[in-house]
Amino acid sequence: AQTVTQSQPEMSVQEAETVTLSCTYDTSESDYYLFWYKQPPSRQMILVIRQEAYKQQNATENRFSVNFQKAAKSFSLKISDSQLGDAAMYFCAYRSPTSGTYKYIFGTGTRLKVLA
Amino acid sequence: DTEVTQTPKHLVMGMTNKKSLKCEQHMGHRAMYWYKQKAKKPPELMFVYSYEKLSINESVPSRFSPECPNSSLLNLHLHALQPEDSALYLCASRSTGSGTEAFFGQGTRLTVV
């Protein structure tokens, strides 16, 4: 069975600085999808970034980028030029590509605080 | 329209009440989910509907009864809940294509008294 681990329950970053959130996972599958979701106090889970395991290139979305290390089963999220609005709970998630598989496996989350 | 709309946003109910949570999306997604989330925890999957048929039930107690009347609507009927069922209930939808992400609603904050 697949598992997702986020070892940092809480992180802090100064506004305009860079922070990296860690995520490791365990799977025997060779192809899969990885996601970072953000959940601000408004409660809605919002997709931050997505990575397909078959792609070697790391995904980027504006200030957000990932460091995907397939062999190490690591999927960290880097937030550059942190803003107050980035303060939220961040969840790493795994999904199998198998047809008919709908489950997302979430990590326990990292609470990010942004200091003014 | 990339929204998943959940109503109500807040709900307080007694243990003998019957209530329903509603979720609606107009993105043409054919997979819809119910999650339960306790404070400071990740979402826990409850149910998945695929093409309006129940695809996954994660051994959820029968006091929770899901319903998918059409491809845009998902309901969660609640009856005889316990205080420990108090949580944030999130609805999500997803296109059934591979690699697609789930879109989440803002959730219903449920308190059982």
Side-chain angles (χ1 to χ4, degrees), chain A residues 33 35 37 39 42-47 50 52 89 91 95 97 100-104 106-109 111, chain B residues 9-10 31 33 35 37 41-43 45 48 50 55 58 88 94 98-102 104-107 109:
Chain A
Y33 301 96
F35 306 86
Y37 277 92
Q39 189 176 35
S42 66
R43 310 177 325 201
Q44 186 171 16
M45 299 269 286
I46 302 164
L47 179 72
R50 174 180 67 198
E52 291 90 342
M89 195 76 169
F91 292 100
R95 191 169 70 80
T101 298
Y102 297 98
K103 287 188 181 183
Y104 290 79
F106 287 93
T108 50
R111 180 165 299 283
Chain B
K9 288 194 171 24
H10 301 272
Y33 300 70
Y35 284 90
Q37 187 179 25
K41 298 288 186 183
L45 183 63
V48 180
S50 174
S55 177
E58 291 285 271
L88 180 67
R94 182 174 77 80
S98 62
T100 55
E101 69 269 22
F104 286 82
Q106 279 195 304
R109 175 76 65 195

Coordinates of all heavy atoms in Angstrom, one line a residue, chain A residues 33 35 37 39 42-47 50 52 89 91 95 97 100-104 106-109 111, chain B residues 9-10 31 33 35 37 41-43 45 48 50 55 58 88 94 98-102 104-107 109:
Chain A
Y33 N 0.9 9.9 -9.8 CA 0.8 11.4 -9.8 C 0.9 11.9 -8.4 O 0.5 11.3 -7.4 CB -0.6 11.8 -10.3 CG -0.9 11.3 -11.7 CD1 -1.6 10.1 -11.9 CD2 -0.4 12.0 -12.8 CE1 -1.8 9.6 -13.2 CE2 -0.6 11.5 -14.1 CZ -1.3 10.3 -14.3 OH -1.5 9.8 -15.6
F35 N 0.7 15.5 -5.9 CA 0.1 16.8 -5.8 C 0.5 17.5 -4.5 O 0.7 16.9 -3.5 CB -1.5 16.7 -5.8 CG -2.0 15.9 -7.0 CD1 -2.1 14.5 -6.9 CD2 -2.5 16.5 -8.1 CE1 -2.7 13.8 -7.9 CE2 -3.0 15.8 -9.2 CZ -3.1 14.4 -9.1
Y37 N -1.5 20.3 -2.2 CA -2.7 21.1 -2.0 C -2.5 22.1 -0.9 O -1.8 21.7 0.1 CB -3.9 20.2 -1.7 CG -4.6 19.6 -2.9 CD1 -4.2 18.3 -3.4 CD2 -5.6 20.2 -3.5 CE1 -4.9 17.7 -4.5 CE2 -6.3 19.7 -4.6 CZ -5.9 18.4 -5.1 OH -6.5 17.9 -6.2
Q39 N -4.5 24.4 2.0 CA -5.8 24.7 2.7 C -5.7 25.8 3.6 O -5.2 25.7 4.7 CB -6.2 23.4 3.4 CG -7.7 23.5 4.0 CD -8.2 22.2 4.6 OE1 -7.4 21.5 5.3 NE2 -9.4 21.9 4.5
S42 N -9.8 29.6 5.0 CA -11.1 29.5 4.4 C -11.6 28.1 4.1 O -12.8 27.9 3.7 CB -11.1 30.2 3.0 OG -10.2 29.5 2.1
R43 N -10.7 27.1 4.4 CA -11.0 25.7 4.4 C -11.0 25.0 3.1 O -10.9 23.8 3.0 CB -12.4 25.4 5.0 CG -12.7 26.1 6.3 CD -14.0 25.9 6.9 NE -15.1 25.8 6.0 CZ -16.4 26.0 6.3 NH1 -16.7 26.4 7.6 NH2 -17.4 25.9 5.5
Q44 N -11.1 25.7 2.0 CA -11.1 25.1 0.7 C -9.7 24.6 0.3 O -8.7 25.3 0.4 CB -11.6 26.0 -0.4 CG -11.8 25.4 -1.7 CD -12.5 26.3 -2.7 OE1 -12.6 27.5 -2.5 NE2 -13.0 25.8 -3.8
M45 N -9.6 23.3 -0.1 CA -8.4 22.7 -0.6 C -8.2 23.2 -2.0 O -9.0 23.0 -2.9 CB -8.5 21.2 -0.6 CG -8.7 20.6 0.8 SD -7.2 20.2 1.6 CE -6.7 18.8 0.7
I46 N -7.0 23.8 -2.2 CA -6.7 24.4 -3.5 C -5.4 23.7 -4.1 O -4.4 23.6 -3.4 CB -6.5 25.9 -3.4 CG1 -7.7 26.6 -2.8 CG2 -6.1 26.5 -4.8 CD1 -7.4 28.0 -2.3
L47 N -5.5 23.3 -5.3 CA -4.3 22.7 -5.9 C -3.2 23.7 -6.1 O -3.5 24.8 -6.7 CB -4.7 22.0 -7.3 CG -3.5 21.4 -8.0 CD1 -3.1 20.1 -7.3 CD2 -3.8 21.1 -9.5
R50 N 1.2 20.1 -9.6 CA 1.0 18.6 -9.9 C 2.2 18.1 -10.6 O 2.8 18.8 -11.4 CB -0.2 18.4 -10.7 CG -0.5 17.1 -11.2 CD -1.7 17.0 -12.1 NE -1.6 17.7 -13.3 CZ -2.6 18.1 -14.1 NH1 -3.8 17.9 -13.7 NH2 -2.4 18.8 -15.2
E52 N 3.7 14.6 -12.7 CA 3.5 13.2 -13.2 C 4.8 12.5 -13.0 O 5.9 13.0 -13.4 CB 3.1 13.2 -14.7 CG 1.7 13.7 -15.0 CD 1.6 15.2 -15.2 OE1 2.6 15.9 -14.9 OE2 0.6 15.7 -15.8
M89 N -2.3 25.4 5.5 CA -1.9 24.0 5.7 C -1.6 23.5 4.3 O -2.4 23.7 3.4 CB -3.1 23.2 6.4 CG -2.7 21.9 6.9 SD -1.8 22.1 8.5 CE -1.8 20.4 9.0
F91 N -0.8 20.1 2.1 CA -0.9 18.6 2.0 C -0.3 18.1 0.8 O -0.6 18.6 -0.3 CB -2.4 18.1 2.1 CG -3.1 18.4 3.4 CD1 -3.9 19.5 3.5 CD2 -2.8 17.6 4.5 CE1 -4.6 19.7 4.8 CE2 -3.5 17.8 5.7 CZ -4.3 18.9 5.8
R95 N -1.6 9.8 -6.0 CA -2.6 9.1 -6.7 C -2.1 8.1 -7.7 O -1.2 8.4 -8.5 CB -3.7 10.0 -7.3 CG -4.9 9.3 -7.8 CD -6.0 10.3 -8.2 NE -5.7 10.9 -9.4 CZ -5.9 10.4 -10.6 NH1 -6.3 9.1 -10.7 NH2 -5.6 11.0 -11.7
P97 N -2.2 5.8 -11.0 CA -2.7 6.1 -12.4 C -3.7 5.0 -12.8 O -4.3 5.1 -13.9 CB -1.5 6.1 -13.2 CG -0.6 5.1 -12.6 CD -0.8 5.2 -11.1
G100 N -9.7 3.5 -12.9 CA -10.7 3.1 -11.8 C -10.2 3.4 -10.4 O -10.9 3.2 -9.4
T101 N -8.9 3.9 -10.3 CA -8.4 4.3 -9.0 C -8.8 5.7 -8.7 O -8.3 6.6 -9.4 CB -6.9 4.0 -8.9 OG1 -6.6 2.7 -9.1 CG2 -6.4 4.4 -7.5
Y102 N -9.5 6.0 -7.7 CA -9.9 7.3 -7.4 C -9.3 7.9 -6.2 O -9.4 9.1 -5.9 CB -11.5 7.4 -7.3 CG -12.1 7.0 -8.6 CD1 -12.6 5.7 -8.8 CD2 -12.3 7.9 -9.6 CE1 -13.2 5.3 -10.0 CE2 -12.9 7.5 -10.8 CZ -13.4 6.3 -11.0 OH -14.0 5.9 -12.1
K103 N -8.7 7.0 -5.4 CA -8.2 7.5 -4.1 C -7.0 8.4 -4.2 O -6.1 8.1 -4.9 CB -7.8 6.3 -3.2 CG -9.0 5.4 -2.7 CD -8.5 4.4 -1.7 CE -9.6 3.5 -1.2 NZ -9.2 2.6 -0.2
Y104 N -7.0 9.4 -3.4 CA -5.9 10.3 -3.1 C -5.4 9.9 -1.7 O -6.2 9.8 -0.8 CB -6.3 11.8 -3.1 CG -6.6 12.3 -4.5 CD1 -7.9 12.0 -5.0 CD2 -5.7 13.0 -5.2 CE1 -8.2 12.5 -6.3 CE2 -6.0 13.5 -6.5 CZ -7.3 13.2 -7.0 OH -7.6 13.7 -8.3
F106 N -3.3 11.2 1.3 CA -2.7 12.5 1.8 C -1.7 12.3 2.8 O -1.8 11.3 3.7 CB -3.9 13.3 2.3 CG -4.8 13.9 1.3 CD1 -5.9 13.3 0.9 CD2 -4.5 15.1 0.7 CE1 -6.8 13.8 -0.1 CE2 -5.3 15.7 -0.3 CZ -6.5 15.0 -0.7
G107 N -0.7 13.1 2.9 CA 0.2 13.2 4.1 C -0.6 13.9 5.2 O -1.7 14.4 5.0
T108 N 0.1 14.0 6.3 CA -0.5 14.6 7.5 C -0.5 16.1 7.5 O -1.1 16.7 8.4 CB 0.2 14.1 8.8 OG1 1.6 14.3 8.6 CG2 -0.1 12.6 9.0
G109 N 0.2 16.7 6.6 CA 0.1 18.2 6.4 C 1.3 18.9 7.1 O 1.8 18.4 8.1
R111 N 1.8 22.9 8.5 CA 1.3 24.2 8.6 C 2.3 25.3 8.4 O 3.4 25.3 9.1 CB 0.7 24.4 10.0 CG 0.1 25.8 10.2 CD -0.8 25.9 11.5 NE -1.9 25.0 11.4 CZ -3.0 25.1 10.7 NH1 -3.2 26.3 10.0 NH2 -4.0 24.2 10.8
Chain B
K9 N -22.9 26.0 4.6 CA -21.5 26.2 5.1 C -21.3 25.8 6.5 O -20.2 25.3 6.9 CB -21.0 27.7 4.9 CG -20.9 28.0 3.4 CD -20.1 29.3 3.3 CE -19.8 29.7 1.8 NZ -20.5 29.0 0.8
H10 N -22.3 26.0 7.3 CA -22.3 25.5 8.7 C -23.6 24.8 9.0 O -24.6 25.2 8.5 CB -22.1 26.7 9.7 CG -20.9 27.6 9.4 ND1 -19.7 27.3 10.0 CD2 -20.7 28.7 8.6 CE1 -18.8 28.2 9.6 NE2 -19.4 29.0 8.8
A31 N -16.6 11.9 -11.5 CA -16.2 11.3 -10.2 C -16.4 12.4 -9.1 O -15.9 13.5 -9.3 CB -14.7 10.9 -10.2
Y33 N -16.6 13.0 -4.7 CA -16.1 12.5 -3.5 C -16.7 13.1 -2.3 O -17.0 14.3 -2.3 CB -14.6 12.7 -3.4 CG -13.7 12.2 -4.4 CD1 -13.7 12.7 -5.7 CD2 -12.8 11.2 -4.1 CE1 -12.8 12.2 -6.7 CE2 -11.9 10.7 -5.1 CZ -11.9 11.3 -6.3 OH -11.1 10.8 -7.3
Y35 N -15.4 13.7 1.7 CA -14.3 13.5 2.7 C -14.7 14.0 4.0 O -15.5 15.0 4.1 CB -13.0 14.3 2.3 CG -12.2 13.7 1.2 CD1 -12.5 14.0 -0.2 CD2 -11.1 12.8 1.4 CE1 -11.7 13.5 -1.2 CE2 -10.4 12.3 0.4 CZ -10.6 12.7 -0.9 OH -9.9 12.1 -1.9
Q37 N -13.0 15.7 7.5 CA -11.7 16.2 8.0 C -11.9 16.7 9.4 O -12.6 17.6 9.7 CB -11.2 17.3 7.1 CG -9.8 17.8 7.4 CD -9.3 18.9 6.5 OE1 -10.1 19.6 5.9 NE2 -8.0 19.0 6.4
K41 N -5.9 17.6 10.7 CA -5.7 16.3 10.1 C -6.0 16.4 8.6 O -6.6 17.3 8.2 CB -6.7 15.3 10.8 CG -6.5 15.1 12.3 CD -5.2 14.4 12.6 CE -5.2 14.0 14.1 NZ -3.9 13.4 14.4
P42 N -5.4 15.4 7.9 CA -5.7 15.4 6.5 C -7.2 14.9 6.2 O -7.8 14.3 7.1 CB -4.7 14.4 5.9 CG -4.4 13.5 7.1 CD -4.5 14.3 8.3
P43 N -7.7 15.1 5.1 CA -9.0 14.6 4.7 C -9.0 13.1 4.7 O -8.1 12.5 4.2 CB -9.3 15.2 3.3 CG -8.4 16.3 3.1 CD -7.2 16.0 4.0
L45 N -11.1 9.9 3.2 CA -12.1 9.5 2.2 C -13.3 8.8 2.9 O -13.1 7.9 3.7 CB -11.4 8.7 1.2 CG -12.3 8.3 0.0 CD1 -12.8 9.5 -0.8 CD2 -11.6 7.3 -0.9
V48 N -16.8 7.5 -2.8 CA -16.6 8.0 -4.2 C -17.7 7.5 -5.1 O -18.1 6.4 -5.1 CB -15.2 7.5 -4.8 CG1 -15.0 8.0 -6.2 CG2 -14.1 7.9 -3.9
S50 N -18.7 7.3 -9.2 CA -18.1 7.4 -10.5 C -19.3 7.1 -11.5 O -20.0 6.1 -11.4 CB -17.1 6.3 -10.7 OG -16.6 6.3 -12.1
S55 N -18.8 3.9 -6.1 CA -17.6 3.2 -6.4 C -16.8 2.7 -5.2 O -16.2 1.7 -5.2 CB -16.7 4.0 -7.3 OG -15.5 3.4 -7.7
E58 N -15.7 3.7 2.2 CA -14.6 3.3 3.1 C -15.2 2.9 4.4 O -14.8 3.4 5.5 CB -13.7 4.5 3.2 CG -12.9 4.9 2.0 CD -11.8 3.9 1.7 OE1 -10.7 4.1 2.2 OE2 -12.0 2.9 1.0
L88 N -15.3 18.8 9.5 CA -15.5 19.5 8.3 C -15.8 18.5 7.2 O -15.0 17.5 7.1 CB -14.3 20.3 7.9 CG -14.3 21.1 6.6 CD1 -15.3 22.3 6.7 CD2 -12.9 21.7 6.3
R94 N -13.8 15.3 -9.9 CA -12.6 15.2 -10.7 C -13.1 14.6 -12.1 O -14.0 13.8 -12.1 CB -11.6 14.2 -10.1 CG -10.4 14.0 -10.8 CD -9.4 13.1 -10.0 NE -9.7 11.7 -10.0 CZ -9.5 10.8 -11.0 NH1 -8.9 11.3 -12.1 NH2 -9.8 9.6 -10.9
S98 N -6.9 10.4 -16.8 CA -5.8 10.1 -15.9 C -5.0 11.4 -15.6 O -5.0 12.3 -16.4 CB -4.8 9.1 -16.6 OG -4.3 9.7 -17.8
G99 N -4.5 11.5 -14.4 CA -3.6 12.6 -14.0 C -4.4 13.9 -13.6 O -3.7 14.8 -13.2
T100 N -5.7 13.8 -13.7 CA -6.4 15.1 -13.3 C -6.5 15.2 -11.8 O -6.6 14.3 -11.1 CB -7.8 15.1 -14.0 OG1 -8.5 13.9 -13.5 CG2 -7.7 15.0 -15.5
E101 N -6.6 16.5 -11.4 CA -6.6 16.8 -10.0 C -8.1 16.9 -9.6 O -9.0 17.1 -10.4 CB -5.9 18.1 -9.7 CG -6.6 19.3 -10.2 CD -6.1 19.8 -11.6 OE1 -5.6 18.9 -12.3 OE2 -6.2 20.9 -11.9
A102 N -8.3 16.7 -8.3 CA -9.6 16.9 -7.7 C -9.8 18.4 -7.3 O -8.9 19.1 -6.9 CB -9.7 16.1 -6.4
F104 N -12.0 20.9 -4.9 CA -12.7 20.8 -3.7 C -13.6 21.9 -3.4 O -13.4 23.1 -3.9 CB -11.7 20.8 -2.5 CG -11.0 19.5 -2.4 CD1 -9.9 19.2 -3.1 CD2 -11.4 18.5 -1.4 CE1 -9.2 18.0 -3.0 CE2 -10.7 17.3 -1.2 CZ -9.6 17.1 -2.0
G105 N -14.7 21.7 -2.7 CA -15.6 22.7 -2.2 C -15.0 23.3 -0.9 O -14.0 22.8 -0.4
Q106 N -15.7 24.3 -0.4 CA -15.3 24.9 0.8 C -15.7 24.2 2.1 O -15.3 24.5 3.2 CB -15.9 26.4 0.9 CG -15.1 27.4 0.1 CD -15.4 28.8 0.5 OE1 -16.6 29.2 0.4 NE2 -14.4 29.6 0.8
G107 N -16.5 23.2 1.9 CA -16.8 22.3 3.0 C -18.0 22.8 3.8 O -18.4 23.9 3.7
R109 N -19.1 22.8 7.8 CA -18.6 22.6 9.2 C -19.8 22.1 10.0 O -20.8 22.8 10.2 CB -18.1 23.9 9.8 CG -17.8 23.8 11.3 CD -16.5 23.2 11.5 NE -15.3 23.9 10.9 CZ -14.1 23.4 10.7 NH1 -13.9 22.2 11.0 NH2 -13.2 24.2 10.2

